[in-house]
Amino acid sequence: MFNNTYEGKRVLITGNTGFKGSWLTVWLLQLGAKVIGYSKDVPTNPSMFKKLNLENKINHVVADVRNFESLSSAFTDYKPDFVFHLAAQSLVKNSYLFPSETMTTNIIGTNNILDCLRLVNHPCTGIIITSDKCYDNLELTRGYNELDALGGKDPYSASKGAAELVFKGFYHSFFKNQALIRVATARAGNVIGGGDWAEDRIIPDCIRAWEKGDKVSIRNPNSTRPWQHVLEPLSGYLRLGQQLSENKNLNGKSFNFGPKAGNNQTVLELIHQISNRYFENEKIQYEIIKQPSFHEAGLLQLDCAKANEDLSWEANLDFNQTANYTSDWYNNYKTRNMIEFTIKQLNNYCKAATETQLSWME
């Protein structure tokens, strides 16, 4: 898998205690990597990171990406072969409540990662994770591609667009004409899956409500999103890291990672699919609440043709599989050994990719 690129390699993950970071940690450990985690805290309670006892399976650094000295020390101490930068303030609502924290974490944090990479004196591949919301959303019916304008009408989106501009400046100034360091950015969104406990995200909100016997509060039941399981973009990030380390022509590029076209479904359709699996076909209760006072992007989908053409990457799961993987994880997390269950889901995902003959499984 991934041409055994990560076996025995030192891989630094910032934001490793979060939802995507925890899944990426599990996958890299299964690939034989030596994982170094870098995160300022465990952002949620419950926490997938804690539930899977990942702290005892990796080298874990507790520090903020905004602290350049701490970050630089981690680079010096561990000399990573690969860096996956996931650390971020990732919630739109919180970006309105705490705009300065959002801007400094997402912009200065990215700047610090790139500055540390600039000073590395050994071969290293850096994947900078931003977001689909880095694009200037004009409510287009087509998918946004990597040549579309960057922007954002809320602090979170603006911070991700700005992080991409910081990346572009660093690439052209420091990484374009040298041999040691290769960098790229990855853009994805509407990620769901077991282990997400963040506030104001649809699936964690559902699970919290259902566990209390409450109705689910929905802001925009008819909003359509291209939902994708967390393993989909992670397979893209890992494929990008592999291909970038092997092909210098990918240096400085950006790539979209999104689901299959049929995964575009409404919020209400997602909740029904999750609940049918979670409750074994019991009828769910929900309530529609007042629209938020802050701006939320409407239609936003990605064109992933570039990832398909340049990386031979494509998504693996359909909408029902995406929802069922997600529901099954939450249905088991209180009673099962969840590191074993998580690895089982990962193996099933990879088995499905093998059967579909997806190139990244090679």
Side-chain angles (χ1 to χ4, degrees), residues 73-352:
S73 293
F75 273 76
T76 300
D77 293 343
Y78 293 102
K79 296 178 174 56
D81 302 298
F82 291 87
V83 176
F84 290 89
H85 174 48
L86 280 72
Q89 194 302 98
S90 59
L91 301 175
V92 173
K93 181 178 178 180
N94 281 0
S95 78
Y96 283 93
L97 298 173
F98 311 106
S100 293
E101 178 187 2
T102 301
M103 293 295 181
T104 55
T105 300
N106 296 352
I107 301 173
I108 301 303
T110 300
N111 173 87
N112 287 346
I113 287 287
L114 292 165
D115 208 11
C116 286
L117 284 167
R118 178 178 68 88
L119 301 173
V120 164
N121 57 9
H122 66 273
C124 185
T125 300
I127 307 300
I128 309 300
I129 313 303
T130 60
S131 170
D132 61 345
K133 292 181 177 61
C134 70
Y135 292 107
D136 185 12
N137 190 358
L138 305 176
E139 305 290 335
L140 302 178
T141 56
R142 67 167 175 82
Y144 290 83
N145 64 59
E146 292 83 353
L147 297 179
D148 280 317
L150 302 173
K153 296 179 178 67
D154 59 81
Y156 173 71
S157 301
S159 73
K160 288 301 186 177
E164 287 278 357
L165 294 177
V166 170
F167 169 83
K168 182 176 181 179
F170 264 84
Y171 167 70
H172 284 282
S173 299
F174 304 111
F175 303 130
K176 185 176 183 179
N177 297 310
Q178 51 79 55
L180 284 178
I181 312 303
R182 296 177 185 175
V183 291
T185 68
R187 305 163 180 174
N190 301 295
V191 176
I192 63 173
D196 186 4
W197 293 107
E199 296 290 335
D200 296 307
R201 279 215 277 256
I202 186 62
I203 299 303
D205 286 350
C206 285
I207 301 303
R208 280 187 285 265
W210 294 340
E211 287 186 343
K212 296 177 182 177
D214 294 340
K215 294 181 180 180
V216 179
S217 298
I218 308 173
R219 290 194 300 265
N220 301 298
N222 297 314
S223 291
T224 300
R225 297 285 186 272
W227 309 104
Q228 62 178 327
H229 189 270
V230 61
L231 291 174
E232 302 279 49
L234 293 187
S235 70
Y237 303 165
L238 290 167
R239 177 66 165 177
L240 175 55
Q242 172 213 334
Q243 293 284 291
L244 180 58
S245 69
E246 296 172 354
N247 182 1
K248 65 180 181 180
N249 293 326
L250 297 176
N251 193 20
K253 305 295 184 182
S254 297
F255 292 91
N256 292 335
F257 296 101
K260 295 181 177 180
N263 286 31
N264 283 18
Q265 302 287 341
T266 67
V267 170
L268 197 55
E269 287 168 327
L270 174 67
I271 292 174
H272 276 295
Q273 183 65 31
I274 294 285
S275 67
N276 285 342
R277 186 83 163 196
Y278 188 83
F279 290 115
E280 297 183 349
N281 297 314
E282 285 187 28
K283 186 176 180 180
I284 64 164
Q285 297 293 321
Y286 63 90
E287 59 182 358
I288 300 173
I289 61 176
K290 184 179 178 181
Q291 296 290 321
S293 58
F294 57 87
H295 172 268
E296 279 192 301
L299 181 66
L300 177 59
Q301 55 188 340
L302 299 179
D303 179 344
C304 301
K306 183 178 178 182
N308 181 259
E309 293 168 5
D310 292 0
L311 305 176
S312 296
W313 177 87
E314 58 183 300
N316 187 14
L317 303 178
D318 63 26
F319 174 71
N320 289 345
Q321 291 171 316
T322 296
N324 290 345
Y325 269 60
T326 301
S327 187
D328 288 350
W329 197 99
Y330 288 109
N331 241 337
N332 285 277
Y333 86 94
K334 288 187 175 181
T335 59
R336 297 281 294 272
N337 179 321
M338 287 312 292
I339 185 65
E340 291 182 359
F341 188 85
T342 300
I343 291 171
K344 181 180 178 180
Q345 281 205 329
L346 171 60
N347 289 339
N348 287 340
Y349 175 82
C350 294
K351 180 181 178 182

